[in-house]
Amino acid sequence: MNNTYKSAGVDKEEGYKTVDKIKSAVAETHNKNVLNNLGSFGAFYEIGGYKNPVLVSGTDGVGTKLKIALDTKKYDSIGVDCFAMCANDILCHGAKPLFFLDYLACGKLDADVAAEIVLGMVNACKDNECALIGGETAEMPGMYQPGDYDVAGFCVGIVEKDQIIDGSKIKTGDKIIALPSSGFHSNGFSLVRKIFPNFEEEFEGKPLYETLLVPTKLYYKDVFKLKENVEISGIAHITGGGLIENVPRIIPNGLCARIDTSKIQIPNVMLELEKRGNIERMEMFGTFNMGVGMVIVVDESLAEKALSLIEDAYLVGEIVENEEKIQLI
């Protein structure tokens, strides 16, 4: 018997089927700036209409949240997570997402599974007015077991140089606004899976995995609504490391974000995790978003207007003089 690529564990035909399943949906994310179709060696995106444009890029994956999706065979939200983790990062600098590329690796490709994951990305891209212009699917037997997948993405956005948000304008007296998360988002799932080993158990009247797999919230529309109406001094995306590690990234030296934890609306599933795992509260705040997906810093005089623009936003603190950069009180 002659050896073939398929006999080594790589089925090219399954890859072709994947492309066929996603091609028309991916094309729906394209606009006049996309100059080529899926299948080219490189993806082309034309930039116009900016005076002094700066490209802002971000890359990320889904982490071990993917394990819950694979074990429960619920793949539709994971693509949203992948896109959101990248796009929300570049939003912190006021960048509008332009295009996104994905990378999907597996042990044995299943076209239906791969298509479902990518279609989640398609829906997220549409929601963010962003084009999915390329990607890569890698079937790697021996590196991954059959049924295993890993997902990562890469997002490029754009912002006028004089409109970059980097935290440098943050000053004493500024107010800190919380934008709620939709749950754990895509961080801390190694600990989540340790404390909640049975994803099928009932939680608040439904299988626990449904709560755990709620996708990362997309903040593009909220952030740009704010950006168009008030001056934003700083934005932090609350991912791995929680408020404790992410908020200080935007705070200038000599200043401190003082956050009142009693005002934070912690999701019930996180409180249950904390209780069941006997986890200290500060460990929770240093691992999970605790219900705050994004933090916005604005001048005190603009806080009321900012809050009126975003339905579920609320005040959680203010900027004070201190060398610590963050205080949770």
Side-chain angles (χ1 to χ4, degrees):
M1 175 178 162
N2 292 330
N3 283 318
T4 64
Y5 208 10
K6 189 171 184 177
S7 73
V10 179
D11 187 351
K12 292 187 292 183
E13 293 300 323
E14 199 69 13
Y16 302 148
K17 282 169 62 178
T18 302
V19 173
D20 286 342
K21 286 176 177 291
I22 65 174
K23 199 165 188 177
S24 61
V26 168
E28 291 175 10
T29 71
H30 293 181
N31 54 37
K32 61 182 176 61
N33 302 97
V34 180
L35 303 184
N36 62 326
N37 297 315
L38 199 65
S40 301
F41 287 101
F44 297 83
Y45 193 97
E46 184 176 38
I47 296 173
Y50 288 81
K51 296 176 183 176
N52 196 4
V54 174
L55 296 180
V56 184
S57 58
T59 186
D60 211 337
V62 180
T64 62
K65 183 177 185 176
L66 192 58
K67 180 69 174 167
I68 300 175
L70 296 176
D71 286 355
T72 57
K73 302 187 185 306
K74 303 292 181 184
Y75 313 108
D76 56 333
S77 64
I78 289 299
V80 179
D81 282 303
C82 185
F83 175 81
M85 292 300 288
C86 302
N88 287 344
D89 271 355
I90 69 171
L91 274 177
C92 293
H93 300 292
K96 169 182 167 51
L98 293 178
F99 59 84
F100 182 76
L101 297 97
D102 69 276
Y103 177 78
L104 180 63
C106 61
K108 182 171 178 56
L109 184 63
D110 181 317
D112 290 330
V113 173
E116 197 166 351
I117 293 171
V118 175
L119 289 174
M121 298 175 189
V122 167
N123 291 333
C125 283
K126 285 181 178 179
D127 193 64
N128 281 242
E129 300 174 353
C130 180
L132 178 55
I133 60 173
E136 172 71 9
T137 301
E139 193 172 13
M140 297 190 287
M143 287 290 291
Y144 295 88
Q145 295 302 310
D148 282 350
Y149 286 81
D150 197 11
V151 183
F154 185 89
C155 188
V156 174
I158 193 166
V159 62
E160 290 283 8
K161 190 172 184 179
D162 62 1
Q163 293 179 21
I164 292 174
I165 299 169
D166 60 7
S168 61
K169 294 181 179 179
I170 292 175
K171 62 190 182 305
T172 304
D174 284 355
K175 296 299 182 182
I176 302 170
I177 294 171
L179 302 187
S181 70
S182 54
F184 286 105
H185 284 183
S186 298
N187 301 106
F189 274 88
S190 293
L191 181 55
V192 170
R193 292 184 302 109
K194 180 181 180 181
I195 306 304
F196 292 143
N198 178 15
F199 310 140
E200 301 283 350
E201 71 170 273
E202 186 175 306
F203 179 76
E204 296 186 334
K206 58 187 178 183
L208 177 62
Y209 68 79
E210 290 188 17
T211 298
L212 298 181
L213 288 177
V214 171
T216 305
K217 189 172 181 180
L218 298 162
Y219 292 100
Y220 167 67
K221 291 176 181 176
D222 284 347
V223 167
F224 267 75
K225 184 188 287 187
L226 285 173
K227 188 183 175 189
E228 290 164 4
N229 289 279
V230 300
E231 183 177 11
I232 299 173
S233 300
I235 307 175
H237 183 203
I238 311 306
T239 54
L243 289 163
I244 291 174
E245 291 187 21
N246 288 289
V247 173
R249 294 165 68 176
I250 64 168
I251 305 299
N253 291 334
L255 297 180
C256 172
R258 181 174 290 166
I259 294 174
D260 184 349
T261 57
S262 69
K263 294 183 178 179
I264 293 177
Q265 299 163 11
I266 304 174
N268 290 339
V269 68
M270 293 184 188
L271 295 174
E272 178 66 21
L273 181 90
E274 178 183 48
K275 177 183 175 183
R276 197 180 300 189
N278 193 28
I279 304 170
E280 292 184 359
R281 180 57 62 94
M282 281 303 107
E283 176 70 16
M284 292 290 292
F285 271 107
T287 304
F288 305 108
N289 63 57
M290 297 300 278
V292 180
M294 211 162 240
V295 157
I296 310 285
V297 181
V298 298
D299 185 87
E300 182 179 11
S301 66
L302 299 173
E304 189 175 333
K305 183 176 182 181
L307 289 168
S308 71
L309 291 167
I310 309 299
E311 186 178 348
D312 52 3
Y314 59 97
L315 278 178
V316 288
E318 63 180 348
I319 303 297
V320 299
E321 286 188 15
N322 197 293
E323 296 297 329
E324 289 186 62
K325 292 212 170 183
I326 186 166
Q327 291 179 340
L328 300 184
I329 59 174

